[in-house]
């Protein structure tokens, strides 16, 4: 089954959070089962918001079809940051944001401080 039975004119982009989504994660299962596209980042350990936003923008512009963004954890903040700055919001049909992390918490890992 391609694209989870969705209309093939719509891409489903998976946006994992910090440290990516491992083999048992629901995003990985969706990628394997339905053929959804994971947006790969260069550095999952020390995520730089601007770099992640640029990768999302490049991925969206690489294909004419509109996308459904499926974000988890830090990927939710990525969607919000990208949407606040991009001129290509029309490339996104909808977004599903799951388990948005609290970036204001006192014990935030230093790798996420720039977010």
């Amino acid at each position: 089954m391609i694209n989870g039975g969705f209309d093939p004119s719509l891409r489903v982009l998976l946006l994992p959070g910090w440290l990516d989504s491992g083999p048992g994660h629901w995003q990985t299962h969706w990628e394997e089962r339905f053929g959804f596209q994971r947006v790969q980042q260069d550095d999952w350990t020390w995520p730089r918001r601007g770099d992640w936003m640029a990768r999302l923008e490049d991925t969206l512009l690489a294909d004419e079809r509109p996308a459904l963004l499926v974000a988890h954890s830090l990927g939710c903040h990525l969607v919000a940051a990208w949407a606040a700055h991009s001129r290509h919001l029309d490339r996104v049909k909808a977004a599903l944001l799951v388990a948005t992390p609290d970036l204001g918490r006192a014990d935030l890992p230093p790798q996420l401080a720039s977010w």
Side-chain angles (χ1 to χ4, degrees):
M1 176 183 288
I2 300 295
N3 214 15
F6 285 91
D7 178 346
S9 67
L10 180 70
R11 293 183 295 158
V12 177
L13 300 179
L14 301 171
L15 303 167
W18 179 47
L19 302 176
D20 198 3
S21 295
H25 195 275
W26 62 267
Q27 282 186 317
T28 301
H29 292 298
W30 286 15
E31 178 181 22
E32 293 168 354
R33 183 169 182 188
F34 303 122
F36 297 158
Q37 179 185 350
R38 180 185 308 243
V39 176
Q40 293 291 337
Q41 299 296 344
D42 288 330
D43 192 343
W44 293 107
T45 306
W46 286 87
R48 294 193 312 229
R49 188 173 67 169
D51 291 349
W52 281 32
M53 289 169 56
R55 178 60 52 87
L56 174 55
E57 183 94 351
D58 290 347
T59 302
L60 286 166
L61 294 177
D63 190 317
E64 292 294 320
R65 295 175 295 159
L68 166 61
L69 304 180
V70 179
H72 178 255
S73 190
L74 194 63
C76 299
H77 287 280
L78 167 60
V79 171
W82 171 82
H85 291 93
S86 179
R87 293 187 309 246
H88 302 286
L89 298 179
D90 60 322
R91 297 290 183 127
V92 176
K93 196 81 152 161
L96 172 64
L97 308 178
V98 180
T100 303
D102 177 6
L103 296 179
R105 68 184 213 208
D107 62 343
L108 187 71
Q111 297 92 322
L112 305 181
S114 68
W115 283 79

